[in-house]
């Protein structure tokens, strides 16, 4: 589990005999189930063993309440798993994507990140804004300023 991770109450993370990796700055809401094992085929006699898969959540992932992540799942950085989403089996969610629903629909590039650097004058001083992040969410943009440097 990485730095700055928030895990809500009543969330279950099960990784017995498998691997669950959670990157930095992830927010996992309440009542989420992350389970590396799937025993349903063994229970109904279709398999002799429990199926296990590696689960990877890269950095800056949000997982909404009442979601299920189970099996061989890889979620790319800066992605959102919407509330109530069922990610079961084998799925690869690309970075900046939205996964939503049951059955899951993956909207690749739904959150697109772009970085720009430019200089602007403020109170007779030149200020260089670096690492400006513009994240597209549908047709609207949110701008975050990651750092400001004062130029001489």
């Amino acid at each position: 589990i990485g730095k700055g991770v928030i895990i809500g109450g009543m969330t279950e993370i099960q990784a017995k005999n498998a691997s669950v990796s959670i990157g930095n700055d992830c927010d996992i809401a309440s009542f989420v189930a992350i389970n590396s094992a799937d025993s349903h085929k063994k229970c109904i006699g279709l398999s002799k063993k429990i199926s296990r898969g590696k689960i990877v959540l890269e950095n800056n992932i949000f997982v909404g309440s009442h979601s299920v992540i189970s099996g061989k799942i890889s979620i790319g950085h800066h992605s959102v798993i919407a509330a109530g989403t069922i990610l079961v089996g084998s799925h690869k969610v690309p970075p900046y994507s939205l996964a939503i629903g049951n059955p899951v629909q993956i909207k690749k590039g739904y959150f697109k990140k772009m970085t720009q650097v430019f200089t602007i004058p403020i109170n007779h001083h030149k200020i260089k804004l670096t690492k400006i992040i513009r994240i597209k969410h549908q047709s609207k943009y949110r701008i975050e300023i990651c750092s400001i440097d004062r130029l001489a």
Side-chain angles (χ1 to χ4, degrees), residues 9-82:
M10 305 306 292
T11 287
E12 171 195 24
I13 300 172
Q14 190 282 110
K16 184 177 180 183
N17 299 323
S19 173
V20 172
S21 173
I22 300 171
N24 296 328
D25 302 313
C26 292
D27 185 346
I28 301 170
S30 299
F31 301 101
V32 172
I34 299 175
N35 190 338
S36 62
D38 182 353
S39 63
H40 82 276
K41 287 183 180 178
K42 181 181 178 207
C43 289
I44 61 173
L46 295 177
S47 176
K48 294 185 179 189
K49 63 179 189 169
I50 295 173
S51 173
R52 300 186 193 283
K54 180 178 182 180
I55 297 174
V56 176
L57 279 70
E58 293 182 1
N59 297 334
N60 302 92
I61 303 294
F62 175 79
V63 181
S65 179
H66 296 87
S67 294
V68 175
I69 298 171
S70 181
K72 183 179 179 184
I73 307 293
S74 176
I75 303 171
H77 59 87
H78 295 89
S79 290
V80 171
I81 309 304

Side-chain angles (χ1 to χ4, degrees), residues 84-88 100-105:
T85 296
I86 309 297
L87 267 173
V88 176
I100 185 168
N102 180 19
V104 68
Q105 295 177 8

Side-chain angles (χ1 to χ4, degrees), residues 70-146:
S70 181
K72 183 179 179 184
I73 307 293
S74 176
I75 303 171
H77 59 87
H78 295 89
S79 290
V80 171
I81 309 304
T85 296
I86 309 297
L87 267 173
V88 176
S90 180
H91 292 282
K92 183 171 176 79
V93 178
Y96 303 105
S97 294
L98 171 66
I100 185 168
N102 180 19
V104 68
Q105 295 177 8
I106 298 172
K107 298 182 179 190
K108 298 176 184 178
Y110 190 81
F111 301 99
K112 186 175 180 184
K113 176 179 175 180
M114 298 185 331
T115 302
Q116 301 174 0
V117 178
F118 58 93
T119 303
I120 60 171
I122 299 178
N123 294 336
H124 307 291
H125 299 284
K126 285 189 176 181
I127 304 293
K128 182 173 85 172
L129 302 176
T130 57
K131 296 183 182 173
I132 303 256
I133 300 173
R134 184 173 74 169
I135 300 174
K136 183 179 179 185
H137 177 263
Q138 293 177 341
S139 62
K140 298 178 184 176
Y141 289 91
R142 183 184 83 214
I143 296 176
E144 298 177 6
I145 299 173
C146 296

